[in-house]
Amino acid sequence: MPVAFDPSGNTSKEPVAFDPSGNTSKEPVASDPSGTTSKEPALAIDATSPPEDFTNQYWNYIRSRHVKSDIEKDESVVSVDLWDFAGQHLYYASHPVFFSSRAVYLLVCNLSKPLNATAQPCARQGIHDVFLENPNGETNLENLLSWLATVHSITQTRKETVESTEKKLSYLRPPVFIVGTHADKPFEDAAVMKSQIEKRISGKEYERHVIRPFFSIDNTRGHSHNTTSLRSRMMKLFRKGGGQQSGQGNTDMPKNDEIEALRNRIMEVLKQEPYMGEEIPIKWFNFERVIEALVAEHIYHVNLEQLQRYAREVCFIDDEDELTTLVNFYHDIGLIIKHCSTVVLKAQWLIDLFKQLITIPPFLKTEPVNSKYWLEVETTGVLSMELVDHVFYKFIQQGVVKKDILDMMEQFGLIAKFSPSPTDVKYFVPAQLKSSPESLCDVAPSSHDPCPMYVHFVVGFVPHGLFSQLVSRAISWCSKTGPTQPPNLYLNGAWFVIGSQVIHDFILICKKSFIKIVLKLRNQDEAVLMSTLADAARSVRLFVEGTLQDLSQELPGLNGLRYKLCVTCPYCLQESHKCANHNQPSCAHEDCLHFLEMKHGERLICKRRFCDKLLTVRGLEKWFPQRTSQV
């Protein structure tokens, strides 16, 4: 029996069009830009009909709408969504929210800027560019490579390697293109700059994602204006279908054809991806129509229960497992974003909502009654609940569940919650924080304390957004250990006070490739040193290990997270030769540090420098005590 979805629950034989606004007329109307209305036929679907019948129904529906298309019935169609991520550091933590292994990535660098110069991050606030801090002195090239490392973190290494081997792919998924813009005015010869990038990525794990060749785009070619964005040109090219397919790896393309060569190469790679041609139930396509209809009515979020009801009544899916699979599938490809009981139907709406809380408005657009709260965000990173309630007021009127959105932002590392009691809740905005003071970075343990522990990331960079996630969860963990004073938070650091009777300072410092952890005892009573310090160190280590494991399982952008818990190599720190980079003996610069993995019961062995002695690091044993009590 042909049945169409009716929000009122009507299942009459006469088809009723899906109308998010609640209209259930049997002859649906659609308004056009001129203000007139036209009748639009409803699409009736028989869930029990064979695929051929459904296809005929769908094509009849398309023809009845007079959709103009050059696509034939038997021709395959590739649907491409283009996502342009903001380049400002302020939004870095939110990017992994939208990452997926079912995508092709373009990493874009500005060839007019020197690769080895220190990056100058900025964010547009109102009409002004506000320069942000770069506490670790990251260069433009390192910034590019850090994103390559972050994309690599999406990879479920063993699974993806097996898939690549089975399909004989020449790259590790997801594929990444490196594209240089402003080739019309490069800082130096574009070929030289490409060579520098090639040299830096050669031999690294993330190199296996990079598709050859590199592309350089002249922003002034092939356009009537002086310049145009890569995104705009790519969108136009994909819309019109591009030109003839270029040969694989063709680097002889004239400069003004590079953008088209890039498009063709992307299509070549896409056709190799295992999800291309993947079969899904035909009735799922009606779910996509439901999402489109809701968004067309400016409904950008729904309750999960509502969405499941739509899926049952429109897609005729009664099986709970299939229902879960459907929702997860469309979440994975970015059509929806699901978190707890809230499902976001339009990603841009969610991004705009995030920006409401993490972007400080210019003075003229700040309401006077909220000015002091925005100043507090700018100077301390503290987000008051009064400001949260104000920003969310209009969204709450639309049915948004404030807790779900705050939980989602906390999960994604955009904000961090400190709640010493149910009635005392504060949020921090990590992206608005200032750099750690030098005094905090230089804190050294005493002879009684455990040695500094380093979380060293194998790919050479801390994945974007991970430190905010770690700090957010550390806030929650520390609030349970007492005392109740809030932490000191910084852009690249955090300082907590933990313990009740015995007080410890717990410090996190984030560098380019590692996170340094210092645990320092405040009490100097010998009677408590041996009985509590080792237990505190063990609790901190277990928290760090457990949190990193949880993050790798919970966040798709960190599926392939690989790290080691390390100490600095005691052999290399005794080296008398001067380092090549800084001309310093026993150089302790973060780029020159050599780490050795710390393993319980195993000796530290260095393979860089020969030594006929066995050395250790004082305080290493305190991270692995025999006792198992908590802080």
Side-chain angles (χ1 to χ4, degrees), residues 6 15 56 74 241 351 400 474 498 529 603:
D6 174 2
N56 291 332
D74 296 329
I351 295 169
V400 175
I498 61 174
L529 286 179
R603 296 282 192 171

Side-chain angles (χ1 to χ4, degrees), residues 99 105 107 146-155 174-176 209 557:
F99 280 3
Y105 291 83
L107 294 185
S146 69
W147 277 111
L148 186 53
T150 297
V151 172
H152 178 67
S153 297
I154 302 171
T155 308
V176 176
H209 295 274

Side-chain angles (χ1 to χ4, degrees), residues 432-598:
Q432 292 290 356
L433 299 170
K434 305 301 181 183
S435 296
S436 302
E438 287 295 328
S439 58
L440 185 66
C441 297
D442 294 338
V443 169
S446 70
S447 59
H448 300 294
D449 297 317
C451 62
M453 179 171 65
Y454 298 83
V455 183
H456 183 241
F457 294 88
V458 175
V459 293
F461 294 94
V462 179
H464 289 294
L466 181 137
F467 185 68
S468 297
Q469 293 279 359
L470 179 61
V471 169
S472 176
R473 302 195 183 204
I475 290 174
S476 176
W477 181 75
C478 291
S479 66
K480 300 173 184 176
T481 67
T484 58
Q485 60 260 39
N488 285 13
L489 300 183
Y490 306 95
L491 181 62
N492 63 325
W495 175 13
F496 304 92
V497 178
I498 61 174
S500 50
Q501 299 300 318
V502 181
I503 307 301
H504 300 82
D505 291 295
F506 171 31
I507 299 171
L508 298 170
I509 300 294
C510 184
K511 296 294 187 178
K512 281 183 286 191
S513 65
F514 61 83
I515 297 173
K516 179 182 178 182
I517 300 169
V518 175
L519 186 65
K520 193 171 178 63
L521 180 69
R522 287 202 178 189
N523 304 63
Q524 295 301 317
D525 186 350
E526 291 290 339
V528 301
L529 286 179
M530 298 304 295
S531 62
T532 62
L533 185 55
D535 290 335
R538 177 181 180 274
S539 295
V540 168
R541 177 178 60 82
L542 292 178
F543 160 73
V544 171
E545 289 180 314
T547 299
L548 292 175
Q549 183 177 2
D550 290 343
L551 289 174
S552 67
Q553 294 173 350
E554 295 172 10
L555 299 182
L558 296 175
N559 280 338
L561 187 65
R562 295 184 62 198
Y563 61 89
K564 295 179 180 179
L565 297 185
C566 300
V567 294
T568 52
C569 175
Y571 302 91
C572 291
L573 290 178
Q574 292 187 352
E575 179 61 50
S576 59
H577 295 293
K578 295 182 179 180
C579 79
N581 296 325
H582 307 96
N583 198 33
Q584 294 290 328
S586 303
C587 185
H589 189 277
E590 63 176 286
D591 292 337
C592 299
L593 283 178
H594 179 214
F595 296 105
L596 297 178
E597 187 174 5
M598 47 190 282

Side-chain angles (χ1 to χ4, degrees), residues 95 101 277 437 560 591:
H95 290 354
S101 61
D591 292 337

Side-chain angles (χ1 to χ4, degrees), residues 444-452 567-568 570 604 615-623:
S446 70
S447 59
H448 300 294
D449 297 317
C451 62
V567 294
T568 52
L604 299 175
L615 301 181
T616 187
V617 176
R618 186 179 63 189
L620 171 60
E621 73 285 351
K622 291 184 172 65
W623 294 109

